[in-house]
Amino acid sequence: MKNLFLIAALVTFTYGAFAQNVDLRRKIEVTGTAEQEVTPDIINVSISLQEYMDGKNRVTIDRLENQLESAVKDAGIDKADFTINDISAYNNIYQKKKNPDFLAAKQYLIKFHDLNKYNQVLSKIDLKGIQSTNIDSYDYSKIEPLKNELKLKALLSAKEKATYLLNGINEKLGDALNITESDNSNYPAPRAVMYKTMSVTMSQAPAESDIDFKKIKLSFQINAVFEIVK
């Protein structure tokens, strides 16, 4: 008999504790979205230069580098936006000593804020010395403030939707109980700008700039749970 009383008491206690943990508040769950497209205004382009033989004369990497530096300066590009990536050139001196016919190469990184300057820079470089150019990455300078703005718009959209739905059934919207965000933004993959080989003739002009980017699409979704109050 005592065991029965103990079991009954335990069941009653467990049920009471469980009931206290159950959230009995009435709720509404909605989703709000906000989107905007922006054109990238930071484009990181790599340019590879390589020595070549003009008949019996070598057009050196130093000469090509000086041309590039002058072109970058004339285009009004900040020094901080022009860097040398020596990964491809670290063994040039060693290779030249080992093989006098070795053609040295270097890679440079340029941050463009105006793509019109891309052709301006390339037009002042010996085209035979341009091994390749490529878009490495891109970004939008005001992307963080814009992200925050869109998140807020998505949340307000969710709240407006919940308010509208509850007004339709004569209910009132209470406090937000849970907010979850999802980033569904789309960054198109970078693609090659232009490729030149050593067979390019001096009469050829730089390729027309067809690197008009697909816009970055920023898209945020907010899932919000609100309490329904009387």
Side-chain angles (χ1 to χ4, degrees), residues 91-184:
N91 63 345
N92 283 342
I93 297 177
Y94 170 77
Q95 291 289 353
K96 279 188 174 182
K97 288 181 179 179
K98 185 177 179 181
N99 178 12
D101 295 328
F102 174 75
L103 298 175
K106 278 189 179 182
Q107 187 178 72
Y108 309 82
L109 301 177
I110 303 177
K111 181 184 291 186
F112 289 94
H113 297 276
D114 179 0
L115 278 180
N116 292 323
K117 293 183 177 181
Y118 167 77
N119 276 349
Q120 182 180 338
V121 169
L122 261 63
S123 68
K124 296 182 179 181
I125 306 172
D126 185 344
L127 291 183
K128 287 186 178 180
I130 300 176
Q131 187 179 46
S132 66
T133 65
N134 191 63
I135 296 174
D136 288 351
S137 62
Y138 59 89
D139 206 344
Y140 179 63
S141 59
K142 299 179 182 178
I143 200 162
E144 290 305 323
L146 182 56
K147 283 182 177 181
N148 292 333
E149 180 183 335
L150 291 175
K151 290 176 186 179
L152 181 57
K153 284 183 177 179
L155 177 58
L156 293 177
S157 174
K159 183 178 180 180
E160 181 179 351
K161 185 186 296 185
T163 301
Y164 176 79
L165 292 173
L166 292 179
N167 285 341
I169 55 175
N170 296 319
E171 297 282 3
K172 293 183 179 180
L173 187 69
D175 296 333
L177 303 178
N178 187 59
I179 297 173
T180 305
E181 71 174 55
S182 298
D183 186 347
N184 302 317

Side-chain angles (χ1 to χ4, degrees), residues 78-96:
D78 193 279
K79 289 183 179 180
D81 293 335
F82 174 59
T83 57
I84 300 174
N85 182 359
D86 282 328
I87 293 176
S88 63
Y90 73 97
N91 63 345
N92 283 342
I93 297 177
Y94 170 77
Q95 291 289 353
K96 279 188 174 182

